[in-house]
Amino acid sequence: PDNGFATSTVIQFTDGSECEFHTSCSVPVVVGDTIGPFKIIDGTNCGGIEPTPEPTPEPTPEDEFCLRTNVRAEDGRTVIDVEFEYPEGVEALPSDWVGIYQCSTPFPPAREPPIWAYTCYDRICRRDPVDTAKREGMFTIDDETIAAYSSTGVYMTIEQIIDDQPGCYYAVLNRIEGDSAPPYYHICRDDNEFDLVPGITPAPVQSTPAPVPVNPPGDGACDLPLPGDVCSVCGEGSFVTIPEAVFEFPGQPAVGCGLLEVAGLQALIPLDDCTNLPSVIGDLCGCEECGGDGSMTSDPTPAPVNPTPAPITSVTP
């Protein structure tokens, strides 16, 4: 109205109902206000000043995350879904990895985890080009698909953990930093701890990608040419086909052929010792030549083996 509004304004409807709202200058009316059945969706002040816009909602904690885990049952076994998204300003590297630690382990952890996997999950991607690393992604840790490279040292399967070390666990996105580890440089931790215990029931169906099939240990040995510091225990261009066979050498701990091959591909075997290995383990480990296209000529299925007791230091007769 020409003379302005009173302190309060009453709106009456034909059905006899009414609503009242404050219209004095002490309480501005802005876009977004709800008055009875009405909502202010647009307009300007009489002085030509645009009304105060609605504030932009702040991101909720659920919208921002770096690492997220979810434990569920699948086909009668327990699996761990892992989702990661690097924080702004942190570069993703192909050698970054996720470790699963007991909640009793102080943070940041100064010990190896019983379960770990590179963010690429299904193979040794540590030496891949940096620009191939993904800033965000998902994978599922599953005893049936976990890659052979992670089954060394203190490694345990999810089933073994539930049987022997049930309880609370947490996940950390780690970076290999320096010449000696652990401790590693931690990028972020999932603050949501989870239980690995017997009797986990199936969760509702979720939009989780299917686990990526695992390549056997020999697949890395056929990824030619190999880096200069890597040892192919069967000789370059050949791979292990009997990973469950156990190699024993006087004065050295026994080790499965599959784990021995993985240790070589991770540059844990001195190159001087590597020279003698093909002639020593060739028959025992079933060494075979890779295909002409760099693929394996057979399809070995690695069997579960015990963790490596200690690093290989020498195999020279």
Side-chain angles (χ1 to χ4, degrees):
D2 294 338
N3 296 325
F5 286 95
T7 301
S8 296
T9 299
V10 177
I11 300 177
Q12 295 181 331
F13 301 95
T14 56
D15 62 357
S17 61
E18 62 181 34
C19 66
E20 180 179 350
F21 66 99
H22 199 91
T23 51
S24 73
C25 296
S26 62
V27 180
V29 178
V30 298
V31 172
D33 282 355
T34 299
I35 303 164
F38 303 107
K39 182 177 182 179
I40 307 299
I41 60 174
D42 198 5
T44 58
N45 291 332
C46 297
I49 303 174
E50 291 293 330
T52 305
E54 291 187 79
T56 302
E58 292 292 330
T60 62
E62 290 76 14
D63 295 330
E64 297 181 343
F65 78 99
C66 174
L67 186 64
R68 183 181 294 158
T69 51
N70 175 57
V71 177
R72 59 184 175 86
E74 181 172 295
D75 296 333
R77 63 187 184 278
T78 300
V79 300
I80 307 171
D81 295 325
V82 179
E83 184 179 4
F84 61 90
E85 182 175 330
Y86 282 77
E88 190 70 28
V90 178
E91 181 184 24
L93 297 179
S95 57
D96 292 340
W97 55 281
V98 174
I100 307 297
Y101 300 86
Q102 284 184 292
C103 292
S104 59
T105 304
F107 182 81
R111 57 178 296 181
E112 300 285 0
I115 299 179
W116 72 280
Y118 289 119
T119 53
C120 69
Y121 185 66
D122 65 320
R123 60 187 181 83
I124 301 173
C125 50
R126 179 174 178 175
R127 295 177 177 82
D128 286 3
V130 173
D131 59 3
T132 63
K134 295 182 178 179
R135 291 193 55 78
E136 57 184 79
M138 297 179 65
F139 60 86
T140 298
I141 299 177
D142 185 338
D143 286 346
E144 293 194 359
T145 65
I146 192 73
Y149 67 76
S150 65
S151 59
T152 58
V154 298
Y155 169 77
M156 299 176 68
T157 64
I158 298 176
E159 182 179 5
Q160 287 173 330
I161 287 178
I162 291 175
D163 290 341
D164 302 334
Q165 294 182 4
C168 176
Y169 286 80
Y170 67 89
V172 181
L173 178 59
N174 283 317
R175 172 156 296 170
I176 299 173
E177 189 95 335
D179 297 328
S180 178
Y184 302 99
Y185 168 70
H186 64 280
I187 298 173
C188 62
R189 168 185 173 171
D190 182 6
D191 293 328
N192 295 317
E193 299 172 347
F194 55 87
D195 291 328
L196 291 177
V197 294
I200 295 178
T201 56
V205 177
Q206 302 177 4
S207 57
T208 303
V212 182
V214 171
N215 299 323
D219 189 39
C222 293
D223 187 11
L224 304 175
L226 296 175
D229 59 344
V230 164
C231 166
S232 177
V233 295
C234 284
E236 186 157 351
S238 297
F239 68 100
V240 168
T241 65
I242 313 176
E244 68 273 16
V246 177
F247 170 60
E248 296 185 67
F249 193 81
Q252 298 293 328
V255 60
C257 290
L259 291 181
L260 185 67
E261 182 172 55
V262 171
L265 295 175
Q266 291 185 332
L268 300 179
I269 299 178
L271 294 180
D272 290 343
D273 295 331
C274 185
T275 305
N276 302 304
L277 277 174
S279 60
V280 176
I281 71 166
D283 293 335
L284 173 68
C285 298
C287 292
E288 290 187 9
E289 292 185 0
C290 303
D293 58 354
S295 62
M296 295 179 297
T297 55
S298 64
D299 186 20
T301 301
V305 291
N306 294 326
T308 306
I312 307 299
T313 56
S314 176
V315 293
T316 304

